[in-house]
Amino acid sequence: STQSTGTEAAAMSMTVGSADLFKDLVDTCAMASPKSRTKVSKVKAQQAKVRDPRMVEKKRLAEEQAAREVDQMKKTITRRVHEQHLKRDRIEAARLASIEQEQETFVADVDDFLQIQEGKMLNQKKEMHNLWTEQVYQRIQKQIAAKVGDIDDDALNERLNDLFQKYIDTIDSKMVFRDIIIESEYDPLENKQFTVKVDAEARSETRWDGIVDPLLEQIEKVMEIHQGEGRQKPISHQGKCPGKTTLPVVEWESGKIEATPHGFAAKLFDKSIKEADLTFEEKRARAKRNMSCLNHGVMDHYDFPRTKEATLAELPKGKKCFPGWQPNGAAPANDANPIVHPGADGK
């Protein structure tokens, strides 16, 4: 065992050239921390890697591979953008071709159809006008021309001069009012009896030779449908003035019209006109002013004030006829205003 120990010591021995330098090296290693020794070892390893030709070659190959990938990516993006542009151009060209085809076929056909319809409507209007002129206008105009032609010019001149002279003589002697007529003194409606009257009654069940207005043809057809086979006329056509039901004249009086739908509509219209010039801030201030102060703006069926103060604010107590009165003849609650009950003083 002694021999083996000596052999191991001889194998682990080393030759030191300078004892002082070796001592400094040992002291330095003893003083350094494990972290610093690890850091130093890492730096040395990195420096060794940098100096390693294999690592340099590997780094160069990686950079070349990255450059090729970037170049390939740029080419791919450029190709895709070009393909998108080509696709967009093809779609736009197809859309323009479709529009041109519709312009040449469908739109042209619609234009021709509308022009034909416009011509038909114009011809119908001309035919309707000629028919109305023949059946309505000429019939009335002939009667007016016949009656005006029968008037003697000298008699008409004398009658008009007499009417004008009566008017001048009357206004010289007194004031003339349009709503007050005293026929014994002056009758401004004396010339009304000479008004030209014509027969313009429409054809009906009692007048077979009356005027037939072509403009009322559709209305007459509808009325025949409603009145045929024993049917009665609509309520709107049973009165003296047939037509749409309107508000009676007496309801237009101020104080009554406001209670009708027309009055409410007028109020809403006036309100909208007044609010048209309001700014957003003014509308917000108005809404805030109209908000209830009892519920702090809460208006729903679930979240509302339930406190005693809110109830009293909304429904305050009524006035008491006898302040301080207590039931069963008890002393008044307020001694400042005592209530004297009958018989309390022995009387």
Side-chain angles (χ1 to χ4, degrees):
S1 62
T2 306
Q3 187 178 359
S4 62
T5 302
T7 304
E8 292 177 358
M12 295 177 60
S13 64
M14 66 177 180
T15 303
V16 178
S18 176
D20 296 335
L21 294 176
F22 179 73
K23 185 179 180 180
D24 294 338
L25 178 61
V26 172
D27 295 339
T28 303
C29 292
M31 294 175 61
S33 62
K35 293 184 179 180
S36 61
R37 288 197 298 270
T38 304
K39 185 176 181 181
V40 171
S41 62
K42 289 182 179 180
V43 172
K44 290 181 179 180
Q46 291 178 357
Q47 292 177 355
K49 289 182 180 180
V50 170
R51 298 190 188 95
D52 190 358
R54 292 177 300 177
M55 296 299 298
V56 173
E57 182 65 16
K58 187 176 181 180
K59 181 178 180 181
R60 184 184 65 79
L61 294 175
E63 291 177 352
E64 291 179 356
Q65 180 67 20
R68 286 194 298 270
E69 291 178 355
V70 171
D71 189 22
Q72 184 66 25
M73 187 181 297
K74 290 181 179 179
K75 291 181 180 179
T76 303
I77 293 174
T78 303
R79 178 175 55 79
R80 290 181 179 178
V81 171
H82 182 65
E83 291 177 355
Q84 291 292 333
H85 289 175
L86 293 178
K87 183 178 179 181
R88 181 195 61 188
D89 294 340
R90 287 195 300 269
I91 295 174
E92 185 67 17
R95 189 178 68 85
L96 294 177
S98 176
I99 293 175
E100 292 178 357
Q101 184 180 4
E102 289 185 359
Q103 289 284 348
E104 295 174 356
T105 56
F106 175 73
V107 176
D109 296 341
V110 172
D111 192 13
D112 295 340
F113 175 77
L114 293 177
Q115 290 181 358
I116 294 173
Q117 292 298 322
E118 185 178 1
K120 290 182 178 180
M121 292 179 63
L122 182 60
N123 294 332
Q124 291 176 358
K125 290 181 181 179
K126 290 181 179 180
E127 183 179 358
M128 182 70 70
H129 179 265
N130 295 333
L131 189 62
W132 180 85
T133 302
E134 178 182 357
Q135 297 183 2
V136 179
Y137 175 77
Q138 291 294 344
R139 186 167 178 176
I140 296 175
Q141 180 64 24
K142 288 179 181 179
Q143 299 180 49
I144 296 175
K147 291 191 176 184
V148 172
D150 295 340
I151 298 177
D152 186 10
D153 296 341
D154 296 335
L156 177 61
N157 186 23
E158 183 179 356
R159 175 162 53 84
L160 294 179
N161 290 335
D162 183 55
L163 292 174
F164 296 153
Q165 188 62 41
K166 289 181 179 179
Y167 174 74
I168 294 174
D169 296 340
T170 302
I171 62 175
D172 286 342
S173 60
K174 67 173 185 178
M175 298 182 65
V176 178
F177 300 94
R178 298 180 60 183
D179 56 343
I180 300 176
I181 298 175
I182 303 176
E183 297 181 0
S184 60
E185 297 180 1
Y186 172 67
D187 186 8
L189 304 179
E190 181 180 353
N191 197 40
K192 186 177 180 180
Q193 58 181 329
F194 298 100
T195 302
V196 176
K197 298 180 180 180
V198 297
D199 182 12
E201 185 178 355
R203 186 179 65 178
S204 62
E205 297 176 355
T206 58
R207 180 70 183 275
W208 62 270
D209 59 343
I211 294 178
V212 179
D213 190 350
L215 301 178
L216 302 177
E217 181 180 1
Q218 299 298 328
I219 298 178
E220 291 178 353
K221 288 182 178 180
V222 174
M223 297 304 300
E224 290 177 359
I225 293 174
H226 287 285
Q227 296 174 16
E229 299 180 0
R231 299 188 183 94
Q232 295 182 355
K233 294 182 179 180
I235 297 177
S236 59
H237 290 71
Q238 291 181 4
K240 296 182 180 180
C241 300
K244 181 180 178 182
T245 305
T246 58
L247 189 68
V249 178
V250 293
E251 296 291 338
W252 288 92
E253 182 182 358
S254 178
K256 296 181 180 180
I257 185 65
E258 289 80 5
T260 63
H262 304 275
F264 286 107
K267 290 180 182 179
L268 295 176
F269 179 75
D270 295 339
K271 183 180 179 181
S272 63
I273 294 298
K274 293 179 180 179
E275 295 178 355
D277 298 333
L278 293 179
T279 61
F280 179 75
E281 290 75 11
E282 291 176 347
K283 292 181 180 179
R284 178 184 294 178
R286 182 195 59 188
K288 186 175 181 181
R289 183 177 65 251
N290 295 336
M291 189 180 298
S292 175
C293 61
L294 301 178
N295 52 9
H296 302 289
V298 179
M299 297 293 289
D300 55 48
H301 298 285
Y302 307 100
D303 188 7
F304 55 89
R306 300 179 176 86
T307 60
K308 180 179 179 181
E309 291 76 11
T311 304
L312 292 177
E314 186 174 359
L315 299 172
K317 294 181 178 180
K319 296 182 180 180
K320 294 183 178 181
C321 299
F322 301 97
W325 178 84
Q326 295 296 329
N328 300 325
N334 187 5
D335 297 334
N337 296 317
I339 301 177
V340 179
H341 296 278
D345 54 353
K347 294 182 181 180

